[in-house]
Amino acid sequence: MNAITDQGIFEKPPRRDSVAVQVGNVTVGGGAPIVVQSMTNTDTADIDSTVQQVAALAAAGSEIVRITVDRDEAAKAVPYIRDRLMLMGIDVPIVGDFHYIGHTLLNDNPACAEALAKYRINPGNVGFREKRDVQFSTMIEIANKYAKPVRIGVNWGSLDQELLTRMMDENTAAGNPKDAAQVMRDAMVVSGLASAERAMELGMPKDRIIISAKVSAVQDLIAVYRDLAARCDYALHLGLTEAGMGSKGIVASAAGMGILLQHGIGDTIRISLTPEPGGDRTREVIVAQELLQTMGLRSFIPLVAACPGCGRTTSTVFQELAQSIQNHIRERMPAWKEQYTGVEELNVAVMGCIVNGPGESKHADIGISLPGTGEEPAAPVFIDGAKAMTLRGPGIADEFRELVEKYVAERYGA
């Protein structure tokens, strides 16, 4: 939980100690900033569409991008995807997502094994019965050969059924058995830790291992990761699996992951949103950034505070201006980041009436309080806490955007 200082200021909780893992040019764990990642939903064998989506995700702020490697055609496409991205000046680390036949694909396609920055291994389907250890070992040996890190990615939808059955039987025989849900959570933790231990026995150093244990229910997510974090110091990949579509997926992810992040748990996160038909895949990147930024854990882009509107603000002017400013900031951010160090810390306020408008605008670096219904048609602008001017007329939006641009240049240009 947060502690209150003598000055009454809330401090962020300390991060959980974890081993740092280098994934391409990105550090995960070891106290490094929490990394945002995402995954494509293109057919990896379609090089053009995959390159386009990886580039879009990277431009949106995804610091690691995972792609599906499910068959030989996809594996053969990976080095071409990597090379095309490099020619575009995009050096985002690419992770291969392997299930069932990853050992074969990596063994038969050394160029793929070399091009990927990390391999995701699912211990629930890397192999079955007597083949499990052989196939798992093959993937670890290839990762060792190319000095690649791995993610041991346990998922309750594909949990090792032999392990689960054994633990269920042991639980039934116990004098005070746990309920089935608790046994499943325990099995996920055991699967991840046992697989990581086996990887280390095969010569993989701890600083090349990341663990995840993904579920789709918030309370299960919290319970599993708390247990996992208490029992190891591996870097942890955090996220709900099958979080859902739209507001459901956003709320569920923020609720579960927010609690864990507040307790210092999580070194890299993915918000697994189901896109609307034809929807933008980059939405999950933006939500992940907003989660970390609203919790005060990282800063990615200037925040725009805007009131929700009420009967005092029947005009849509402030809504349109808030959206316009937010869009303008997102469009300008790539150039701003190159020119202005620290601009992501900027706070902007676009308020809709006299009740909270002036006060909220004063708290922002630069803010505007628009006239509500029946108020004088004037919009005071506040800069660094002081009223700087009043805007009037139909050009308020354009004038305020110009003021924001001027403020950014003057404050961060030095």
Side-chain angles (χ1 to χ4, degrees):
M1 300 296 290
N2 277 354
I4 301 179
T5 66
D6 292 338
Q7 292 78 28
I9 300 172
F10 282 94
E11 293 182 338
K12 290 182 291 187
R15 291 273 300 282
R16 160 186 169 271
D17 289 332
S18 62
V19 176
V21 179
Q22 198 66 30
V23 181
N25 58 1
V26 174
T27 302
V28 176
I34 298 167
V35 174
V36 171
Q37 62 176 281
S38 56
M39 184 176 182
T40 60
N41 60 0
T42 58
D43 178 359
T44 303
D46 182 344
I47 295 172
D48 289 341
S49 64
T50 302
V51 167
Q52 183 178 7
Q53 191 171 87
V54 171
L57 291 167
S62 184
E63 294 157 309
I64 295 175
V65 177
R66 182 159 44 112
I67 63 175
T68 297
V69 187
D70 58 346
R71 63 193 194 280
D72 199 57
E73 293 84 355
K76 284 180 166 50
V78 168
Y80 295 99
I81 292 168
R82 188 272 314 270
D83 291 346
R84 286 266 297 275
L85 290 166
M86 290 180 66
L87 286 172
M88 296 166 66
I90 300 170
D91 59 354
V92 63
I94 304 297
V95 176
D97 193 61
F98 294 99
H99 299 276
Y100 303 107
I101 59 171
H103 60 293
T104 300
L105 295 173
L106 287 170
N107 191 61
D108 292 350
N109 296 277
C112 170
E114 186 277 329
L116 292 168
K118 185 179 73 174
Y119 312 155
R120 185 274 174 99
I121 304 174
N122 185 339
N125 60 31
V126 70
F128 301 98
R129 300 181 179 86
E130 68 277 358
K131 294 182 179 180
R132 175 180 289 110
D133 189 61
V134 173
Q135 295 175 184
F136 180 83
S137 298
T138 298
M139 294 190 74
I140 296 300
E141 287 164 3
I142 294 171
N144 284 335
K145 177 181 178 180
Y146 293 101
K148 305 294 183 179
V150 299
R151 171 159 72 96
I152 307 296
V154 185
N155 192 305
W156 76 341
S158 52
L159 184 59
D160 181 345
Q161 292 302 298
E162 291 182 26
L163 171 65
L164 181 59
T165 298
R166 174 172 60 80
M167 292 184 65
M168 286 288 188
D169 291 343
E170 292 172 352
N171 179 65
T172 301
N176 185 22
K178 304 174 183 177
D179 62 50
Q182 179 61 61
V183 178
M184 177 173 279
R185 291 194 290 264
D186 291 346
M188 293 192 65
V189 174
V190 169
S191 178
L193 294 178
S195 298
E197 182 178 345
R198 179 58 181 147
M200 292 184 67
E201 290 173 357
L202 293 165
M204 176 157 284
K206 182 176 279 191
D207 64 0
R208 288 190 198 148
I209 299 173
I210 297 172
I211 295 181
S212 67
K214 291 192 174 183
V215 297
S216 58
V218 170
Q219 295 298 340
D220 289 319
L221 180 84
I222 296 167
V224 168
Y225 274 94
R226 277 180 170 170
D227 191 9
L228 193 57
R231 295 174 61 176
C232 74
D233 61 353
Y234 294 106
L236 297 181
H237 169 120
L238 194 61
L240 277 175
T241 188
E242 296 101 26
M245 182 179 286
S247 60
K248 186 270 181 187
I250 294 171
V251 170
S253 296
M257 294 165 66
I259 289 172
L260 292 167
L261 291 167
Q262 185 65 16
H263 286 82
I265 299 171
D267 300 294
T268 177
I269 68 170
R270 183 200 172 193
I271 304 288
S272 299
L273 294 180
T274 304
E276 303 286 345
D280 189 349
R281 189 67 165 181
T282 62
R283 180 62 178 155
E284 66 177 41
V285 178
I286 294 170
V287 172
Q289 291 178 329
E290 289 175 345
L291 172 60
L292 293 177
Q293 186 153 347
T294 54
M295 293 188 68
L297 298 173
R298 285 192 67 180
S299 294
F300 298 94
I301 190 168
L303 292 176
V304 177
C307 71
C310 66
R312 290 177 177 270
T313 56
T314 54
S315 167
T316 61
V317 173
F318 87 93
Q319 298 165 335
E320 292 164 357
L321 181 56
Q323 183 179 48
S324 172
I325 290 297
Q326 185 70 76
N327 291 342
H328 179 74
I329 287 172
R330 286 205 172 274
E331 290 170 4
R332 294 286 290 132
M333 195 58 191
W336 283 356
K337 285 177 69 174
E338 295 294 325
Q339 294 177 270
Y340 306 124
T341 301
V343 69
E344 63 274 7
E345 303 284 350
L346 175 69
N347 285 304
V348 181
V350 178
M351 303 301 292
C353 80
I354 198 171
V355 175
N356 292 317
E360 190 73 38
S361 297
K362 289 177 183 177
H363 289 305
D365 296 312
I366 179 169
I368 186 169
S369 179
L370 293 163
T373 304
E375 293 178 10
E376 180 185 353
V381 174
F382 296 84
I383 297 177
D384 294 329
K387 183 178 177 181
M389 65 195 70
T390 299
L391 302 181
R392 293 180 173 85
I396 287 177
D398 291 336
E399 291 180 51
F400 187 65
R401 278 194 299 271
E402 290 176 7
L403 289 172
V404 171
E405 284 281 353
K406 182 180 178 182
Y407 183 87
V408 168
E410 291 179 352
R411 176 169 176 177
Y412 300 100

